[in-house]
Amino acid sequence: MAHSHPPTGTAIISARGLTQSFRTADREQTVLNGLDVDIRRGDFTAIMGPSGAGKSTLLYALAGLERPTAGTIKFDGETITDMRDDALAVFRRAHCGFVFQQHQLLERMSLIDNVIVAGALTMRSKPRITTKARELFSLVHLDERAQARTSAQVSGGEAQRASIVRALINAPELVFADEPTGALNSHNSQAVLDVFCTLHANGQSIVMVTHDRHSALRANRVLYLRDGAIAGECTLGAWDGGEPYGEREHTLAVFLNEMGW
Amino acid sequence: MRTLALHQWRRNKGTFLGFGVIILIAACMLGSALTLLFTVGPRYTALADELHTADVDIVVPRTAATADVRDVIDHTTGVAAVEPHDVLLMDTQIHDFRGTDFAIRTMIADADAPRTLNQTRVLATSGDSGDLYIAQYTARFGQFAPGDRIELQLAGHDESFRIAGVVEEMEFGNAGSQILAFSAPAARFAQLERDHPESRMTEYAVRVDAGADPRAVRSRLERALAQAGTPVAAAIDASSVRATRMMVSQLIILILVVFAVLVTIVSLALCTFHIRNIVETDRTDMGVLKALGYTGAMISRAMMAPYLLVCVGATVIGLALSTLATPAIGSLIALQAGFTFHAQADMRAWAITIAALAGVTLLFAWIGVRSLRALQPIEAIRGTDARGRRHAMRPLNRMPGSARTAVSLQQAAASPARNLLVGCMAFLMTLLVSFAATLAYNAAVTPGNLYNTLSTETPQVIATPAAGGNAEAAQRIRAIRGVQNVIAYTTARVGIAGTQMPAFVSDDFDATRNDIRYEGNHPATAHEIAVGSALADAHTIGSKVKVSHGGAALSYTVVGYIQSVNDGGTVCELTNAGYTRLDPDFAYSPHTLYVYCDGADTAHVIRAIESTCADLVTHTTDMERMRDTSQQMYGSIMSAVSLAMLILAIGLTGLVLMMVIRSTIVRERRRFGILKALGYTSGQLMRQIAAALMPATAAGAVLGALVAGMAARPVTDALFATVGVMRSQFDHPALLPIAAALALTAVQGALALGFATPIRTISPYQLITE
């Protein structure tokens, strides 16, 4: 499904007064506290913050997976916080792709079948979905042998790359990634981040939650979450595919230091 | 272990409760069946002993009851004691018997005569004097009460009596013995004897030797008396009477046991399916427990314990409920059998029910947990345990259809165990629904089918002509508007091999509307006979048989077999000329005329007969009314049975589906959460769940329809054969099994969609962040 893309730099998601509270056994805990944020089209946005800051909560609220306690979220001008569950499901399939920390692939299905299941939401023809899936698999360097295996039969990195393909099959406007390298070793992490960078270079908008500095370096924009609100923002510019050290790392380090990281 | 068992209970409460409900139903049915099995027979025996019921009763005309006859009886092998009594035996029409005229032989005894054998017990009286005591069957089934008036046509003469009381009697019991018992106070009895001298009989109540077979003694007595030239008007034995009266209770017990077994099988299949599911999904936890030091046996016991406890608890509740159901069934049995029976809880029945259900539950639960014993802890924890590893699904590119169709089919093929369970359910329930539909069709839609299957020939009107008026009466009746045909069809009595039996006498068997012949031909000449199913084994078609009546015994050629449920197959057919060979006076005596109408109002035909044939016809009987009443009664019973079967089928289907789908949702929660996150709506996932069950359901339903279509007739015939029906008149429309399969598939699909609604409560966010 093709989506028209307005010029980059415009806000694709606007959240205002976003509040998320959870009731535990004896008290109410507020994770997001009146947060305002814009996610811009064409950006690779990394969301960082201390543990328990609400990074994943913010991510899933923006993606329509979690309904906030208060506030509004608009996606391309359409308010999603008013939508019922089924409408949100339709919204997600049309606009969002997800890459979870634990890949969350369906266990008994092969990698390619996991992608076909997602593609079946927007395309009827199995051959068409398969062709598109194969193209995306080649992008993430997974051959047909690997595609025919289940998630239990491949490495964590391969499974995570397959989950990226699943996230892209319906040509989403925005890919949401929750600690995509959190469960991977450094080699596999690099491979996954390389894929994200390639996608970003091709115009894909990405929002990624991470607690890993090296992962954040791949983004062009870093948001720091603290005490339920956006405490600061840092612009790193586009990743040029070279060494992560140097100016980008210094800029990020200063920013994180200021944020109290 | 207790903690583990409680954990299982808390996690799977819904499934355990569903399992418990099904066991409860099975326990209620099995408990009722066993209670009746253990109590009806003993109650019958106790009553028969209390009232000193004779083992054999022989009735001979009073004029033939000489000292020599008594001598013959006394000296017959097996006879221990004999008690003679004066009685009246005659053909009777009981008017307004359950709303119709009921034709049967009646035996009237002197209520005041002292008796040792065949005593009666008064159950209810009218308080003031009446002049007839009726048996309990006549009162309950015929709907009479003390103080009512009862109109009897005794040997062609109308008499009116006031019912003095209702008695318990065990000699005849119900109409199955073809004789109903009455008794009258001495003065009234004496008057009846004066009014009906031709009906005066002597009844010899016989007690047989200890260990002797009453049937055999009865046969010996009939043969001995036939050899002595003594006509026997009636002969019964306690064994045959008991068998006839207990037939209904045995049928009910059989049906209850079959249903209980069916329901139990379903619950046990569910139990095994569910336990296997738990073992598969919690395999890692099991591995951890084993690593900690729990043995496989300990874990298995903890998993089986909730099932056993639920089974025992549900069984006890089911048995308690059966104490409500059993009296109702017992009341029906008492009504049919004609003796007082109040169902009471039987501890043996309870103990057997609990032991049986608990035993099979333990067995099937053990089958489900068997694999735990071989579980290696570290393999289970790593997920490399070969037994626990679930097989990969069939690839989508091998599934036909569009992408979504392929996903649905993949889900359908994912669980062979679930498909087997659902498919078997659909198969069994299609058979059940198909059978119920066939019963209902033949009892309510075309009620004549069931009635004709269980009955002998029943015209619309029976006319009894005066002596010498047979031909002219028939001719005049044929001329009445609305009359389609008139045939002479008389029921006489003959003896074959010492056994007295009804003989249907006619020259127009082929003109009857309910053909009771099931093999060979009706008799067509004076030397031919068709015999009943009870005589078929001993008399092949083409063989000769000696038939006796009065002092005559003549040979006839067997040309065919006929059925008669009421007479237990002990009947025969003869032509007019054939019977006249035995009884030359038959040609001059009145021959009952069977009148067939062409849909006209029978009341109109009867009025026309009474007005145009008043000088020729002594009595007319509206058989259409009796037929309608009987058809309504059969139809109501069968419709109720069909409805019960339908409700059971839908109930069981619903319970099984609910548990299968619940366990699917629990087991696949993560998958549903991921799919929801990807963008599948709750409705799509619900339809996916329902669609995944459809192939197995459809396959089971189609197979069930095929088997039902092929087996319906043989099964129905076999069922009816147990009550003496050799030729069923049931229709088996091919449409019924097809409709049953379609209906069941549709119902199962609708139920599956309904039970899948908990999908809506699954939150993708919660699952992903768990």
Side-chain angles (χ1 to χ4, degrees):
Chain A
M1 187 195 284
H3 299 283
S4 60
H5 293 283
T8 59
T10 56
I12 187 173
I13 299 179
S14 291
R16 296 288 177 267
L18 207 59
T19 303
Q20 184 67 280
S21 301
F22 298 103
R23 184 167 287 282
T24 58
D26 54 353
R27 63 192 176 97
E28 190 161 289
Q29 186 182 3
T30 301
V31 177
L32 301 177
N33 197 1
L35 182 149
D36 295 341
V37 67
D38 288 332
I39 303 296
R40 298 193 299 257
R41 195 182 302 280
D43 274 352
F44 184 169
T45 308
I47 300 175
M48 297 187 75
S51 182
K55 303 184 294 296
S56 296
T57 307
L58 172 61
L59 186 83
Y60 291 126
L62 295 177
L65 269 174
E66 178 70 31
R67 205 180 288 280
T69 314
T72 56
I73 300 171
K74 288 190 178 180
F75 194 104
D76 251 352
E78 191 181 3
T79 305
I80 67 171
T81 38
D82 293 340
M83 286 183 182
R84 297 166 70 94
D85 287 350
D86 282 357
L88 274 175
V90 173
F91 157 77
R92 285 196 298 273
R93 78 170 71 146
H95 299 288
C96 308
F98 295 97
V99 180
F100 304 106
Q101 181 176 3
Q102 300 290 345
H103 66 73
Q104 304 289 8
L105 293 170
L106 300 175
E107 284 168 353
R108 292 171 64 196
M109 283 185 177
S110 62
L111 299 186
I112 191 162
D113 279 354
N114 266 278
V115 176
I116 293 173
V117 163
L121 284 164
T122 57
M123 292 174 270
R124 281 184 62 84
S125 164
K126 212 164 30 140
R128 189 175 154 211
I129 302 171
T130 307
T131 304
K132 191 170 176 187
R134 298 250 191 248
E135 286 168 9
L136 290 168
F137 271 117
S138 69
L139 203 66
V140 301
H141 310 296
L142 280 173
D143 60 21
E144 286 195 23
R145 274 185 63 187
Q147 293 167 30
R149 295 192 183 123
T150 66
S151 57
Q153 294 167 328
V154 299
S155 71
E158 287 170 327
Q160 196 64 300
R161 278 180 275 152
S163 77
I164 295 173
V165 172
R166 183 180 65 181
L168 296 173
I169 190 68
N170 291 320
E173 291 184 65
L174 202 49
V175 170
F176 295 88
D178 184 11
E179 307 264 14
T181 60
L184 305 176
N185 59 27
S186 58
H187 173 72
N188 285 326
S189 297
Q190 292 303 313
V192 168
L193 291 170
D194 287 344
V195 169
F196 277 130
C197 289
T198 305
L199 293 172
H200 179 231
N202 292 338
Q204 180 68 59
S205 308
I206 302 171
V207 179
M208 179 178 71
V209 162
T210 184
H211 68 271
D212 175 45
R213 191 192 289 251
H214 289 106
S215 299
L217 279 172
R218 303 294 191 110
N220 69 299
R221 181 185 180 218
V222 179
L223 301 175
Y224 194 86
L225 196 62
R226 188 176 59 213
D227 297 333
I230 303 293
E233 180 178 337
C234 169
T235 303
L236 296 177
W239 167 256
D240 61 6
E243 293 286 328
Y245 307 102
E247 190 64 31
R248 293 175 70 85
E249 193 181 11
H250 175 70
T251 307
L252 183 61
V254 166
F255 169 71
L256 291 176
N257 204 35
E258 282 172 12
M259 294 294 109
W261 175 263
Chain B
M1 242 178 54
R2 191 163 148 257
T3 308
L4 191 59
L6 277 171
H7 170 67
Q8 288 301 331
W9 164 256
R10 273 192 291 267
R11 277 186 66 186
N12 304 289
K13 219 183 289 185
T15 306
F16 285 123
L17 286 174
F19 169 73
V21 166
I22 299 181
I23 288 287
L24 187 151
I25 295 170
C28 188
M29 287 185 181
L30 194 59
S32 289
L34 291 176
T35 299
L36 293 171
L37 187 67
F38 290 137
T39 56
V40 172
R43 169 61 181 162
Y44 186 100
T45 306
L47 260 178
D49 289 344
E50 259 179 63
L51 298 178
H52 302 281
T53 308
D55 298 309
V56 179
D57 294 284
I58 302 287
V59 181
V60 303
R62 190 85 53 83
T63 51
T66 62
D68 290 339
V69 165
R70 176 64 190 263
D71 202 48
V72 166
I73 295 173
D74 282 338
H75 288 96
T76 299
T77 307
V79 171
V82 182
E83 185 179 272
H85 285 283
D86 292 340
V87 297
L88 291 161
L89 181 69
M90 61 192 88
D91 291 323
T92 304
Q93 284 260 357
I94 305 175
H95 297 304
D96 204 23
F97 184 95
R98 209 178 177 85
T100 188
D101 289 346
F102 183 45
I104 194 167
R105 289 205 299 172
T106 58
M107 194 172 83
I108 305 175
D110 182 353
D112 297 328
R115 282 177 173 266
T116 306
L117 295 177
N118 290 335
Q119 293 176 11
T120 60
R121 181 192 299 134
V122 177
L123 297 174
T125 66
S126 61
D128 51 9
S129 62
D131 52 2
L132 193 72
Y133 289 92
I134 63 175
Q136 192 189 165
Y137 172 82
T138 306
R140 290 186 65 182
F141 205 83
Q143 295 172 342
F144 294 107
D148 290 351
R149 293 217 73 86
I150 182 170
E151 312 293 329
L152 304 179
Q153 190 192 69
L154 300 172
H157 301 282
D158 287 320
E159 305 249 9
S160 179
F161 298 86
R162 191 146 190 280
I163 296 172
V166 178
V167 299
E168 183 100 73
E169 64 86 20
M170 297 299 286
E171 186 182 353
F172 299 104
N174 65 2
S177 56
Q178 296 298 300
I179 297 175
L180 283 182
F182 294 87
S183 56
R188 190 67 165 106
F189 179 75
Q191 187 187 339
L192 286 168
E193 284 213 314
R194 287 192 294 274
D195 293 341
H196 302 280
E198 73 288 351
S199 301
R200 292 183 199 161
M201 303 280 163
T202 299
E203 179 198 28
Y204 293 98
V206 176
R207 179 68 83 209
V208 304
D209 292 330
D213 178 11
R215 281 196 180 101
V217 173
R218 171 192 153 183
S219 290
R220 275 185 226 123
L221 282 167
E222 286 177 306
R223 273 198 300 275
L225 290 169
Q227 279 167 5
T230 305
V232 174
I236 60 166
D237 65 87
S239 300
S240 301
V241 168
R242 183 190 178 111
T244 306
R245 293 168 76 179
M246 301 290 271
M247 185 181 67
V248 169
S249 71
Q250 280 161 1
L251 207 59
I252 290 173
I253 290 168
L254 181 69
I255 289 172
L256 283 173
V257 168
V258 166
F259 273 96
V261 167
L262 193 69
V263 171
T264 305
I265 288 172
V266 168
S267 71
L268 294 172
L270 268 173
C271 164
T272 310
F273 173 77
H274 183 241
I275 281 193
R276 280 198 167 148
N277 262 355
I278 296 174
V279 167
E280 207 175 296
T281 53
D282 292 354
R283 214 159 181 85
T284 308
D285 291 349
M286 307 290 171
V288 169
L289 286 171
K290 273 203 164 184
L292 290 174
Y294 281 87
T295 64
M298 290 166 76
I299 301 171
S300 300
R301 280 198 293 272
M303 292 194 65
M304 295 194 307
Y307 278 100
L308 188 62
L309 290 171
V310 167
C311 174
V312 171
T315 302
V316 169
I317 296 171
L319 287 170
L321 285 175
S322 75
T323 60
L324 298 172
T326 312
I329 303 169
S331 177
L332 181 66
I333 291 171
L335 174 71
Q336 285 284 335
F339 69 99
T340 307
F341 173 70
H342 300 297
Q344 286 173 330
D346 184 272
M347 284 304 115
R348 274 173 304 172
W350 281 49
I352 292 173
T353 302
I354 292 172
L357 291 177
V360 291
T361 297
L362 256 180
L363 174 67
F364 277 75
W366 177 79
I367 289 171
V369 300
R370 244 180 339 168
S371 64
L372 278 177
R373 290 182 179 259
L375 179 72
Q376 294 300 314
I378 199 61
E379 282 177 2
I381 291 165
R382 281 185 185 145
T384 54
D385 167 36
R387 274 182 193 246
R389 201 176 309 131
R390 296 168 68 193
H391 298 294
M393 293 188 196
R394 287 172 65 87
L396 283 170
N397 60 15
R398 286 198 204 158
M399 296 290 171
S402 67
R404 287 197 193 173
T405 305
V407 170
S408 291
L409 287 172
Q410 189 189 52
Q411 284 305 308
S415 177
R418 178 202 65 200
N419 288 344
L420 189 65
L421 179 66
V422 169
C424 287
M425 270 298 303
F427 172 75
L428 285 172
M429 294 305 117
T430 301
L431 285 180
L432 200 62
V433 171
S434 183
F435 185 65
T438 303
L439 266 184
Y441 179 82
N442 284 283
V445 176
T446 52
N449 291 352
L450 178 62
Y451 182 83
N452 288 340
T453 296
L454 297 176
S455 305
T456 50
E457 180 65 11
T458 309
Q460 274 95 344
V461 178
I462 290 180
T464 309
N470 294 329
E472 193 177 347
Q475 193 179 359
R476 281 198 212 172
I477 293 172
R478 272 196 201 96
I480 293 172
R481 185 176 57 84
V483 171
Q484 198 178 54
N485 195 12
V486 180
I487 65 172
Y489 195 102
T490 306
T491 303
R493 290 195 76 78
V494 299
I496 295 179
T499 302
Q500 292 293 306
M501 67 187 71
F504 303 131
V505 182
S506 179
D507 287 339
D508 296 300
F509 290 114
D510 289 330
T512 55
R513 289 186 178 176
N514 181 20
D515 193 357
I516 58 174
R517 173 180 52 97
Y518 67 91
E519 196 175 331
N521 300 306
H522 293 293
T525 71
H527 295 272
E528 292 179 348
I529 186 170
V531 297
S533 55
L535 305 167
D537 284 345
H539 303 281
T540 56
I541 292 177
S543 65
K544 299 282 189 200
V545 64
K546 264 286 198 301
V547 182
S548 61
H549 175 74
L554 299 172
S555 181
Y556 293 79
T557 304
V558 177
V559 296
Y561 298 136
I562 58 173
Q563 71 180 26
S564 174
V565 173
N566 286 342
D567 303 299
T570 310
V571 288
C572 64
E573 278 181 348
L574 292 166
T575 61
N576 284 341
Y579 185 73
T580 304
R581 288 172 64 207
L582 291 165
D583 179 7
D585 290 337
F586 178 71
Y588 310 105
S589 58
H591 298 174
T592 313
L593 297 176
Y594 277 19
V595 181
Y596 298 92
C597 307
D598 59 1
D601 175 21
T602 51
H604 151 77
V605 170
I606 289 173
R607 280 196 299 275
I609 293 173
E610 287 169 351
S611 68
T612 60
C613 307
D615 55 326
L616 290 172
V617 171
T618 59
H619 186 74
T620 52
T621 307
D622 187 348
M623 298 302 289
E624 187 76 1
R625 199 159 61 115
M626 187 196 80
R627 185 190 179 100
D628 283 344
T629 304
S630 297
Q631 280 181 180
Q632 273 171 29
M633 188 180 69
Y634 288 147
S636 314
I637 293 170
M638 286 301 158
S639 297
V641 169
S642 297
L643 187 64
M645 289 164 79
L646 198 64
I647 291 171
L648 187 71
I650 293 174
L652 278 178
T653 302
L655 269 169
V656 168
L657 276 181
M658 185 182 74
M659 283 189 269
V660 165
I661 290 172
R662 264 180 190 242
S663 68
T664 301
I665 291 174
V666 167
R667 191 174 161 181
E668 307 274 336
R669 275 183 82 235
R670 184 174 162 273
R671 184 173 76 85
F672 291 126
I674 292 168
L675 291 174
K676 270 197 168 185
L678 292 177
Y680 279 87
T681 64
S682 298
Q684 283 175 315
L685 295 176
M686 284 164 58
R687 285 191 292 278
Q688 221 180 68
I689 289 176
L693 299 177
M694 277 299 108
T697 301
V702 165
L703 196 61
L706 278 170
V707 171
M710 289 188 304
R713 191 173 290 282
V715 165
T716 317
D717 288 351
L719 202 68
F720 279 128
T722 61
V723 295
V725 172
M726 308 308 290
R727 180 188 168 132
S728 162
Q729 307 276 6
F730 264 31
D731 285 333
H732 296 274
L735 207 57
L736 288 179
I738 296 170
L742 287 172
L744 192 90
T745 305
V747 165
Q748 211 155 308
L751 287 172
L753 263 180
F755 291 134
T757 45
I759 284 273
R760 293 187 181 279
T761 63
I762 293 178
S763 160
Y765 174 72
Q766 278 178 345
L767 286 168
I768 289 158
T769 55
E770 264 176 8

